[in-house]
Amino acid sequence: MVSRWFAFLPNLITIARLVLTPAIIAMITEARWQAAFLIFLVAGASDALDGWLAKTFNLQSELGAVLDPLADKALLISMYVTLAIMGQAPVWLAILIVSRDALIVGGVSVSWFVSRPIRVRPHIASKITTAVQLLLAALILGGAAYGFRLEALETLLIGSVAALTLASATVYLWVWVQHMRP
């Protein structure tokens, strides 16, 4: 039998990611790029770790199904908005990312409001989008922290994030429309 503490470990890791988000944002706004980068790496790794633990040891929970995407959205939205404000990421990209997440949250909220709740489960398009968004944010932070810019790679990742964000939004909109049809 799995101990109660171990069974809750993926959720604790997810909560830690939520707690780390304001610390990362504070480091960015204070231009403490190395600290922001290192904390971000820990937060990004925690996203992979909590999912791996939950799947490997069959520790999935309803709380985790809600907390994990919430932590991802809090981290990524905060990151891209702050990076855009600090002039490190394109403003249009931050707007696109926020708009996609608002669309998803809005769709889930509407479905609950009209008593047609939709099950919250990440689509593979969303997982890939999140991974590439994390990679781009890490590249931008690493560049600011250590004084280098891999401009060609950054440009490629910006295009990839934009395309994947639009594709993911389209997938979720399609799933939502299918769910809400009479």
Side-chain angles (χ1 to χ4, degrees), residues 32-118:
R32 295 177 58 193
W33 297 106
Q34 288 180 343
F37 178 63
L38 294 174
I39 297 168
F40 181 77
L41 289 180
V42 170
S46 78
D47 188 29
L49 180 61
D50 65 7
W52 178 81
L53 284 171
K55 287 183 181 101
T56 301
F57 296 102
N58 196 28
L59 301 175
Q60 293 100 337
S61 67
E62 286 184 46
L63 178 61
V66 173
L67 270 183
D68 188 63
L70 177 67
D72 289 345
K73 288 182 186 340
L75 176 63
L76 289 168
I77 287 173
S78 299
M79 285 294 304
Y80 279 96
V81 168
T82 307
L83 288 171
I85 289 168
M86 298 295 290
Q88 298 293 317
V91 171
W92 64 265
L93 187 61
I95 292 169
L96 181 62
I97 290 168
V98 170
S99 297
R100 171 205 173 255
D101 288 343
L103 174 88
I104 293 169
V105 171
V108 169
S109 298
V110 167
S111 68
W112 278 85
F113 182 73
V114 297
S115 299
R116 304 239 1 235
I118 191 166

Side-chain angles (χ1 to χ4, degrees), residues 117-151:
I118 191 166
R119 186 170 174 218
V120 178
R121 53 189 158 161
H123 189 275
I124 187 68
S126 180
K127 291 179 180 189
I128 294 168
T129 301
T130 298
V132 178
Q133 287 175 348
L134 287 167
L135 182 61
L136 175 58
L139 181 67
I140 292 169
L141 281 176
Y146 298 103
F148 69 89
R149 291 306 275 247
L150 301 174
E151 292 183 27

